[in-house]
Amino acid sequence: MANNTADHPPGNSVADGNQEGDFGITVMDLRELMELRSGEAVTKIADSYGDVQGVCRRLKTSPIEGLSGNPVDLEKRHAAFGKNFIPPKKPKSFLALVWEALQDVTLIILEIAAVISLGLSFYHPPGGDSELCGETASGVEDEGEAQAGWIEGAAILFSVAIVVLVTAFNDWSKEKQFRGLQNRIEQEQKFTVIRKGQVIQIPVSELVTGDIAQIKYGDLLPADGILIQGNDLKIDESSLTGESDQVRKSLEKDPMLLSGTHVMEGSGRMVVSAVGLNSQTGIIFTLLGAGDSDEEKKIKKAKTQDGIALEIQPLKSDEAVESEEKEPEVEVKRVKKVQVNKKEKSVLQGKLTKLAVQIGKAGLIMSAVTVIILILYFVIDTFGVQGRPWLKECTPIYIQYFVKFFIIGVTVLVVAVPEGLPLAVTISLAYSVKKMMKDNNLVRHLDACETMGNATTICSDKTGTLTMNRMTVVQAYLGDTHYKKVPEPDVIKPFTLEVMVNSIAINSAYTTKILSPEKEGGLPRHVGNKTECSLLGFVLELKRDYQPIRDEIPEESLYKVYTFNSSRKSMSTVLKNTDGSGFRMYSKGASEIVLRKCSHILNTNGEPRIFKPKDRDEMVKNVIEPMACDGLRTICVAYRDFPAEAGEPDWDNEGDILDELTCICVVGIEDPVRHEVPNAILKCQKAGITVRMVTGDNINTARAIATKCGILLPGEDFLCLEGKEFNQLIRNDQGEVEQERLDKVWPKLRVLARSSPTDKHTLVKGIMDSTVLETRQVVAVTGDGTNDGPALKKADVGFAMGIAGTDVAKEASDIILTDDNFTSIVKAVMWGRNVYDSISKFLQFQLTVNVVAVIVAFTGACITQDSPLKAVQMLWVNLIMDTLASLALATEPPTESLLLRKPYGRNKPLISRTMMKNILGHAVYQLTIIFTLLFAGENFFNIDSGRNAPLHSPPSEHYTIVFNVFVMMQLFNEINARKIHGERNVFEAIYRNPIFCSVVMGTFILQIVIVQFGGKPFSCTALSIDQWLWCVFIGVGELLWGQLITAIPTHRLKFLKEAGHGTHKEDVPENEMNEGDDEIDHAEMELRRGQVLWFRGLNRIQTQIKVVNAFRSSLYPGLENPESRNSIHNFMAHPEFVPLSEEEAQIPEREESSSDEADMEIQPIPSSSTGGGEAPDVSHETSC
């Protein structure tokens, strides 16, 4: 018997006295009990406590009434058994973040150079000022200036400090934001418990030991418990045991329910026996948490299941190793991650990594060449041309020159490397995520936000997403009559009415209810399953009440329940008749499925008459199809009696039980299309996104709703298929899915009806793998059921329903729609495209600065022996251009116009030809101006030339003007950068972005302060008002020049190239694409070539330290604080968690040292497809 119940003596839930003494059971007793499984657990409960009721009595709780909810009692339970909460890991302190920011290689080089410069400026050797040392000190106006050599070194250090503080602050605020996001996700997780006899929902963190919790299909269990009563309960325990088979739970065989496991079928009630750190999950978490050091966290993928980190830092040494974590120096078996499928690196991330590596290489070469040319020129000029000897006392002076050259080289590198890129990505994504929350998109994985901008296909559910999910019965077929509206109760025969009302009241989840409206005049509130609510509403319209029937037949007295699942598509409940006349079973489900199992139907007089297949076909034609064509969902309600004389049937033989039914009625349920959906779908179609409906409903209903929504357009060539037909078209004789067959179907497919979750997964995978169209499809999927998990995970972006969605679906998703509304998906597309455009805007601006600054520093240094832009000035330019510009350009709000263009797709380059035209065009203007000022500026402004100034000479007006004009041009070019598609009006909606306006104004004011009062540290001297006006005028010229560039047609400029492509799979050597491996981050192949080899020695040592730490912490779990998350409910989702049975896989095995380091490519070892691991990507049929 699958519906297990136990007796329920009254339980007192308010205890007096002291803590654990109050309860007849201790934490340790419960922990020991929960470690047992199946038969052992049943025996232990029977021996020690009698039965589950005994456990309830000791915990002072009632299986029926639950706890009282008295705060004093709850506090005592917290003290005795702990809270359902794991203290969060302390966030990194600000100082730790500062230390991390200091690890940047370029900054370290600058710091060293500045320290050497500082040291040498204080060292004055005797005779160092002699004529023999060259023109070192000539031209110095007074002794005080000569003593000011330390200022440059100090200013560089100061600038480095500013850069580091800004970076650290950004990291800190980002961490804070994500913790807020994490908390928001956790606060939304509620669980159903019984307190004071009332069914209520409480946040999972408020669960206490002794609570009576209701569990149902789709739940993720937040605490350990013991089953009190269960209906057909099956649990997926793979997250703890690694076994993929579902475990059937019952009082007689296995009543133990464990936290972190998923309810895959059925429903029931459990008494909570362990929470927080004392639950099975908490215990494992404590063991594993201690060993997970911060370094280990870095080795794991930046994309974590709850959106804790996503940042790309392509050109910093340690991070470069991190982004290369695919192949550390030792072979590490791929750890099977629980419930986490690592998706391919996000489109934007891949393109950016590749681009940043290319820019970095170019910058490195330029800076090296600069230093070499400067040193060679100086040496040849001083010792060759002038023929001076190298004097011992002159050595410090020469070294100062070399240090100065070195600093110039480093500043070229600093300006060339776009460190602002990761920052721009982070700011843009974080800003978007924050704003998307207001648009009802709760983003769990940051990169999903940007991937959504590339989406080409959306596979959407029907119910609740496209429709309102407020279902009402509007038609009924009762007693051989088709009523087009709900009939009056007096026209229905009493027996028919009674059996129908009983069937609906009993054969539905008791948690489904219709409550009075919250506001007067409002609609009644539907709680629980919406289809069941519509049937209960039908009962109320027939002026009957379902509650007295439920009170008379409580859930515990139900003999057997066959709960609804995707294969059955029906639900049945068996009652034992009180008069001993056998059993009665009530059924309901999809009409064409249930009618096939009916052999009788109630006629006009309420008596069963024979119902033959031809009657059924007639009914389908005359009743069900007309209802479906009106867009109604049809449900059949039926019953069956099992007489006592035939004996008790074999309840496990479902085929025989769910047969020979008597049909009571067929109802047509309307679920109106949301008003805003047709418009949203039209926007999608204009934006080049195909919307496909994938539903479990019948094909006529699906087609009617799809037409109302605008998915099907009149006169269009499209396909509407049922799941069965779809499978026949795409599978070969062996039943395997063939991509070629699928490619013939999916481009025209718009509606897939009566589909199973496997069909949905097959369709999503098929579209993603297809190469029929020019660009690879980027697929978004919506889902709410537990079985949608595989499709949600497989898709590029998975949307789970926040209201109707099960915990499992939310766990597998990337974005949660908090209002279950399709229009929110369209907003996500808009934000995604905006992120992409924001990064492109920043790139267009940043690269113009980089090109100009690098060329100016390089040529200036080679021709005049000194960079026209000094190190400190470069750092200031770098700071405003990186940090402030990324803030300004990354926070542009999206506009509707973003939806008027086609998706970019995977292979579209980051820098389009239009952008390249803008970059090069503005660089030409800026370089012309700078070089004109550099070599002829003194004549134009009638001032002294600043070229060829000796070491330690005071700042010149000439070079100050060059610096000021450079910054002014960048400032006005920042406004040009707001448009990347060749639009003319660069000021459009600028007032909508206050951050942009304040950054531009703030930068301008700071520039005035630096020039007028910066003095020696910034190598500036105050300028007159005339000179300032000229500088601003030249800057404004950027805007006019921008208009000129826009007027040049891009297609005429054949020489322009695009940059920042995504890597094509065909570009990757075959040996690097092993089938079992996770998909390789192709963009990072660039890093692999030699560049990373020198990181490897360091990486080897780090790995060995980690191994030692892992052993130490697993042996002595008390050594370190357990790493944790705010809620145990959520932690299964984290990639850091590994089932205990697979712990060994985490320990890296040291590899034999290879003689040829450079040839060593470490490939991850493919895991087996059993257990919790990721199965090889071969089978399309995922067991759900």
Side-chain angles (χ1 to χ4, degrees):
M1 191 175 78
N3 182 14
N4 311 284
T5 338
D7 306 323
H8 35 273
N12 168 27
S13 63
V14 183
D16 308 307
N18 64 358
Q19 314 313 350
E20 266 189 36
D22 288 353
F23 305 99
I25 193 164
T26 65
V27 176
M28 290 320 292
D29 293 341
L30 286 169
R31 268 180 82 154
E32 283 169 22
L33 178 59
M34 293 314 295
E35 278 166 12
L36 302 174
R37 299 283 175 273
S38 51
E40 291 176 13
V42 177
T43 313
K44 171 78 175 168
I45 292 172
D47 293 350
S48 304
Y49 311 104
D51 56 9
V52 181
Q53 305 304 323
V55 178
C56 291
R57 275 194 293 276
R58 299 215 185 181
L59 284 171
K60 308 211 169 170
T61 182
S62 154
I64 301 298
E65 298 287 313
L67 298 178
S68 67
N70 179 332
V72 179
D73 176 45
L74 295 180
E75 204 41 61
K76 283 182 177 162
R77 287 173 191 275
H78 282 154
F81 303 109
K83 296 186 177 185
N84 196 29
F85 172 84
I86 297 177
K89 181 169 177 264
K90 283 197 180 85
K92 282 181 183 162
S93 67
F94 187 72
L95 284 175
L97 292 168
V98 166
W99 177 246
E100 270 183 23
L102 276 169
Q103 309 304 308
D104 187 324
V105 179
T106 42
L107 287 181
I108 290 171
I109 296 170
L110 264 182
E111 288 155 23
I112 293 168
V115 169
I116 294 171
S117 171
L118 262 178
L120 290 171
S121 66
F122 290 120
Y123 175 59
H124 290 286
D129 291 342
S130 75
E131 281 294 313
L132 293 168
C133 297
E135 305 169 19
T136 310
S138 58
V140 174
E141 281 144 29
D142 60 55
E143 202 54 35
E145 284 285 6
Q147 300 304 318
W150 61 273
I151 290 178
E152 187 173 38
I156 291 175
L157 287 178
F158 179 71
S159 306
V160 167
I162 295 282
V163 172
V164 164
L165 288 172
V166 168
T167 311
F169 178 75
N170 273 310
D171 286 348
W172 177 79
S173 58
K174 186 183 72 180
E175 172 90 0
K176 197 168 146 214
Q177 262 184 336
F178 290 145
R179 285 194 176 255
L181 173 65
Q182 179 87 346
N183 292 340
R184 164 93 189 256
I185 289 172
E186 277 162 8
Q187 282 157 13
E188 291 211 336
Q189 283 169 340
K190 298 224 163 90
F191 211 69
T192 310
V193 296
I194 301 170
R195 287 194 181 168
K196 273 199 211 157
Q198 295 292 314
V199 177
I200 57 166
Q201 285 207 321
I202 59 168
V204 290
S205 56
E206 289 176 23
L207 275 177
V208 293
T209 302
D211 254 325
I212 304 299
Q214 289 200 339
I215 54 175
K216 62 182 187 309
Y217 158 83
D219 282 344
L220 175 62
L221 299 184
D224 290 356
I226 304 168
L227 192 66
I228 298 175
Q229 175 256 325
N231 306 320
D232 205 14
L233 199 62
K234 287 184 188 163
I235 307 279
D236 173 9
E237 293 187 346
S238 61
S239 49
L240 283 181
T241 61
E243 294 300 321
S244 55
D245 294 344
Q246 292 175 14
V247 183
R248 190 183 282 274
K249 297 286 177 180
S250 65
L251 273 170
E252 300 82 32
K253 296 205 178 102
D254 186 359
M256 312 313 265
L257 301 168
L258 307 173
S259 55
T261 58
H262 295 123
V263 182
M264 298 311 279
E265 217 172 283
S267 61
R269 285 203 323 266
M270 70 174 190
V271 56
V272 175
S273 58
V275 293
L277 288 169
N278 296 313
S279 66
Q280 287 306 292
T281 302
I283 293 165
I284 295 173
F285 207 7
T286 312
L287 291 174
L288 291 176
D292 253 0
S293 64
D294 286 1
E295 288 81 26
E296 258 180 280
K297 219 71 88 271
K298 287 181 183 176
I299 293 290
K300 306 222 164 96
K301 200 66 188 152
K303 174 178 173 182
T304 70
Q305 186 72 2
D306 283 298
I308 287 299
L310 174 127
E311 177 167 3
I312 63 153
Q313 288 167 309
L315 288 171
K316 302 179 182 177
S317 64
D318 288 352
E319 282 81 3
V321 180
E322 284 170 46
S323 62
E324 254 320 284
E325 31 63 317
K326 286 241 166 50
E327 36 153 7
E329 181 54 40
V330 296
E331 269 195 5
V332 182
K333 282 192 176 179
R334 262 187 33 212
V335 174
K336 287 184 253 177
K337 294 179 185 172
V338 176
Q339 298 288 332
V340 179
N341 267 11
K342 198 180 78 173
K343 294 187 184 176
E344 192 177 330
K345 195 167 199 197
S346 91
V347 183
L348 182 68
Q349 238 185 314
K351 291 178 183 178
L352 278 176
T353 307
K354 194 172 179 189
L355 188 69
V357 169
Q358 290 166 344
I359 295 170
K361 281 179 180 173
L364 202 60
I365 293 164
M366 288 293 268
S367 63
V369 171
T370 309
V371 176
I372 292 165
I373 288 178
L374 283 171
I375 291 174
L376 283 177
Y377 192 104
F378 174 77
V379 170
I380 292 166
D381 186 54
T382 309
F383 305 119
V385 178
Q386 297 176 28
R388 298 177 189 279
W390 181 299
L391 299 174
K392 194 180 172 190
E393 59 268 27
C394 292
T395 304
I397 303 287
Y398 296 146
I399 289 174
Q400 267 183 307
Y401 263 112
F402 292 149
V403 169
K404 180 180 153 186
F405 298 152
F406 185 61
I407 288 174
I408 290 168
V410 173
T411 45
V412 171
L413 180 64
V414 168
V415 175
V417 174
E419 309 92 313
L421 218 48
L423 190 60
V425 177
T426 309
I427 290 174
S428 183
L429 288 173
Y431 170 78
S432 301
V433 165
K434 211 171 177 183
K435 294 285 186 188
M436 280 169 82
M437 274 192 189
K438 291 179 184 165
D439 285 342
N440 302 306
N441 282 291
L442 182 62
V443 180
R444 296 178 74 245
H445 300 145
L446 262 188
D447 58 349
C449 165
E450 155 266 311
T451 308
M452 203 50 219
N454 287 309
T456 54
T457 291
I458 298 173
C459 294
S460 173
D461 268 0
K462 175 178 74 68
T463 309
T465 315
L466 301 172
T467 58
M468 289 166 88
N469 205 10
R470 183 168 182 92
M471 303 203 184
T472 39
V473 172
V474 290
Q475 293 185 25
Y477 181 83
L478 265 164
D480 291 342
T481 315
H482 185 175
Y483 297 96
K484 293 285 184 174
K485 57 181 201 288
V486 176
E488 291 297 317
D490 47 11
V491 303
I492 305 169
K493 286 284 178 276
F495 174 77
T496 307
L497 187 58
E498 188 197 351
V499 75
M500 181 174 75
V501 169
N502 280 352
S503 177
I504 291 170
I506 295 163
N507 185 33
S508 55
Y510 276 34
T511 47
T512 301
K513 299 185 179 73
I514 293 183
L515 304 177
S516 51
E518 282 178 340
K519 295 178 191 153
E520 257 186 72
L523 292 165
R525 281 180 297 150
H526 287 185
V527 178
N529 182 294
K530 300 294 188 254
T531 309
E532 289 180 351
C533 283
S534 71
L535 293 169
L536 294 176
F538 181 48
V539 169
L540 297 175
E541 276 196 71
L542 292 170
K543 302 186 175 51
R544 292 302 184 94
D545 191 0
Y546 59 86
Q547 200 52 51
I549 299 169
R550 287 181 170 184
D551 295 341
E552 191 186 322
I553 304 171
E555 205 173 355
E556 295 74 42
S557 64
L558 304 178
Y559 194 77
K560 166 86 180 161
V561 178
Y562 297 95
T563 52
F564 181 90
N565 67 22
S566 57
S567 54
R568 262 187 213 133
K569 291 214 185 302
S570 67
M571 173 181 179
S572 307
T573 303
V574 181
L575 291 179
K576 190 167 188 177
N577 297 334
T578 44
D579 57 6
S581 61
F583 303 90
R584 172 168 283 185
M585 177 178 79
Y586 294 115
S587 285
K588 69 164 189 289
S591 52
E592 56 265 56
I593 288 168
V594 176
L595 279 177
R596 240 179 262 143
K597 294 171 181 171
C598 289
S599 58
H600 292 77
I601 186 165
L602 295 182
N603 64 12
T604 324
N605 302 320
E607 295 156 353
R609 68 170 167 85
I610 288 178
F611 187 61
K612 294 183 182 140
K614 78 169 184 5
D615 298 335
R616 186 181 69 229
D617 296 341
E618 209 169 289
M619 188 167 168
V620 167
K621 193 172 150 200
N622 298 331
V623 178
I624 291 172
E625 283 185 4
M627 281 187 184
C629 291
D630 291 340
L632 304 184
R633 187 173 183 184
T634 55
I635 299 285
C636 177
V637 180
Y639 77 100
R640 178 182 178 184
D641 285 322
F642 296 93
E645 48 273 22
E648 186 167 341
D650 175 8
W651 299 113
D652 288 335
N653 186 350
E654 255 183 72
D656 288 352
I657 300 288
L658 299 178
D659 203 16
E660 303 284 322
L661 303 176
T662 302
C663 170
I664 304 168
C665 68
V666 172
V667 293
I669 299 173
E670 183 180 48
D671 185 9
V673 171
R674 290 176 181 267
H675 306 303
E676 60 276 26
V677 162
N679 192 28
I681 287 178
L682 187 65
K683 281 183 185 170
C684 282
Q685 287 161 347
K686 280 185 183 166
I689 300 167
T690 309
V691 181
R692 293 179 166 84
M693 183 201 283
V694 184
T695 177
D697 233 325
N698 85 42
I699 193 149
N700 294 323
T701 309
R703 193 185 278 122
I705 298 284
T707 309
K708 284 181 190 172
C709 292
I711 292 173
L712 300 180
L713 300 170
E716 212 183 55
D717 183 19
F718 57 76
L719 281 175
C720 288
L721 295 176
E722 283 199 339
K724 201 183 276 180
E725 247 182 300
F726 173 68
N727 277 304
Q728 282 166 359
L729 288 172
I730 64 166
R731 293 179 188 274
N732 60 19
D733 303 339
Q734 283 80 44
E736 293 161 352
V737 175
E738 285 189 1
Q739 187 67 43
E740 282 174 34
R741 289 172 177 237
L742 191 55
D743 286 344
K744 288 174 189 164
V745 175
W746 76 258
K748 287 185 180 179
L749 184 70
R750 291 293 176 274
V751 174
L752 185 58
R754 282 279 174 253
S755 64
S756 69
T758 312
D759 296 339
K760 195 172 188 175
H761 182 264
T762 306
L763 177 66
V764 169
K765 186 177 185 309
I767 296 176
M768 286 173 70
D769 292 348
S770 176
T771 51
V772 178
L773 304 182
E774 287 170 31
T775 54
R776 174 184 169 312
Q777 298 287 295
V778 177
V779 183
V781 168
T782 69
D784 53 8
T786 300
N787 311 53
D788 290 328
L792 286 170
K793 223 170 234 180
K794 179 68 195 168
D796 292 288
V797 182
F799 285 90
M801 301 298 142
I803 301 166
T806 60
D807 290 341
V808 180
K810 290 177 189 174
E811 217 57 50
S813 70
D814 300 293
I815 297 176
I816 296 171
L817 295 177
T818 52
D819 64 345
D820 287 16
N821 193 337
F822 187 83
T823 45
S824 302
I825 300 177
V826 180
K827 285 177 182 162
V829 171
M830 205 155 81
W831 276 107
R833 292 186 174 192
N834 193 54
V835 168
Y836 213 87
D837 278 10
S838 294
I839 303 305
S840 291
K841 287 171 189 175
F842 175 71
L843 267 175
Q844 177 174 305
F845 174 68
Q846 166 95 49
L847 293 180
T848 311
V849 181
N850 284 10
V851 168
V852 176
V854 169
I855 293 176
V856 167
F858 175 70
T859 48
C862 296
I863 297 168
T864 66
Q865 304 316 284
D866 186 8
S867 172
L869 300 172
K870 301 290 181 287
V872 179
Q873 293 173 352
M874 288 276 214
L875 282 172
W876 162 238
V877 168
N878 209 35
L879 184 74
I880 61 165
M881 300 319 147
D882 279 1
T883 309
L884 299 177
S886 63
L887 189 65
L889 292 167
T891 53
E892 287 271 324
T895 58
E896 289 279 332
S897 61
L898 286 167
L899 294 174
L900 298 176
R901 62 168 173 76
K902 297 280 179 273
Y904 280 148
R906 291 195 166 258
N907 306 327
K908 175 94 167 60
L910 264 181
I911 300 168
S912 64
R913 293 181 64 200
T914 308
M915 287 169 64
M916 193 58 92
K917 177 183 76 175
N918 292 341
I919 291 168
L920 297 178
H922 287 292
V924 166
Y925 173 81
Q926 293 184 15
L927 287 170
T928 309
I929 296 286
I930 295 282
F931 284 131
T932 307
L933 287 176
L934 191 57
F935 297 111
E938 68 271 29
N939 306 327
F940 182 75
F941 285 104
N942 199 16
I943 48 177
D944 294 333
S945 168
R947 291 192 303 282
N948 300 322
L951 209 60
H952 304 321
S953 56
S956 66
E957 273 184 302
H958 184 191
Y959 273 23
T960 304
I961 288 172
V962 172
F963 166 58
N964 200 24
V965 165
F966 181 69
V967 172
M968 286 300 122
M969 288 194 295
Q970 303 320 325
L971 212 51
F972 285 98
N973 194 31
E974 200 166 329
I975 299 171
N976 278 329
R978 290 184 70 243
K979 301 293 172 194
I980 52 172
H981 299 300
E983 300 93 330
R984 282 207 172 275
N985 184 4
V986 290
F987 290 100
E988 186 189 352
I990 197 166
Y991 56 85
R992 280 183 62 211
N993 189 358
I995 298 177
F996 183 88
C997 300
S998 47
V999 164
V1000 171
M1001 283 311 296
T1003 311
F1004 187 65
I1005 291 161
L1006 275 171
Q1007 180 64 14
I1008 294 173
V1009 172
I1010 285 170
V1011 170
Q1012 297 303 105
F1013 310 105
K1016 182 80 180 162
F1018 278 94
S1019 307
C1020 286
T1021 181
L1023 299 178
S1024 67
I1025 190 78
D1026 281 3
Q1027 291 165 334
W1028 263 104
L1029 285 171
W1030 272 110
C1031 293
V1032 174
F1033 173 71
I1034 293 169
V1036 173
E1038 265 290 357
L1039 295 174
L1040 303 171
W1041 185 255
Q1043 293 301 311
L1044 193 68
I1045 294 172
T1046 308
I1048 303 168
T1050 312
H1051 63 86
R1052 290 281 172 86
L1053 306 172
K1054 297 276 189 258
F1055 61 87
L1056 287 178
K1057 292 278 186 289
E1058 298 161 324
H1061 288 266
T1063 309
H1064 298 268
K1065 284 204 178 174
E1066 49 270 26
D1067 299 345
V1068 184
E1070 277 178 38
N1071 62 337
E1072 285 167 355
M1073 286 186 66
N1074 291 350
E1075 270 226 23
D1077 298 353
D1078 280 333
E1079 290 189 50
I1080 290 169
D1081 297 339
H1082 308 311
E1084 288 178 351
M1085 290 293 185
E1086 285 289 311
L1087 285 167
R1088 198 167 277 179
R1089 314 281 181 254
Q1091 194 178 352
V1092 169
L1093 286 174
W1094 65 280
F1095 293 145
R1096 291 195 165 169
L1098 166 75
N1099 202 29
R1100 170 175 281 175
I1101 297 162
Q1102 283 178 336
T1103 311
Q1104 287 167 350
I1105 291 168
K1106 272 172 227 148
V1107 176
V1108 174
N1109 287 344
F1111 274 122
R1112 226 177 60 205
S1113 55
S1114 58
L1115 289 173
Y1116 310 106
L1119 278 181
E1120 296 172 60
N1121 294 327
E1123 196 269 341
S1124 55
R1125 293 282 179 279
N1126 294 14
S1127 151
I1128 197 155
H1129 190 51
N1130 231 3
F1131 100 91
M1132 298 303 300
H1134 287 270
E1136 292 94 333
F1137 170 75
V1138 179
L1140 215 56
S1141 61
E1142 290 159 22
E1143 237 176 55
E1144 297 136 294
Q1146 253 195 132
I1147 299 166
E1149 299 160 5
R1150 194 173 175 313
E1151 188 185 353
E1152 289 302 310
S1153 161
S1154 162
S1155 57
D1156 187 357
E1157 286 279 330
D1159 287 339
M1160 267 179 51
E1161 287 292 348
I1162 310 296
Q1163 291 293 346
I1165 298 173
S1167 68
S1168 68
S1169 59
T1170 52
E1174 183 189 348
D1177 209 3
V1178 187
S1179 165
H1180 286 248
E1181 290 151 295
T1182 310
S1183 61
C1184 300

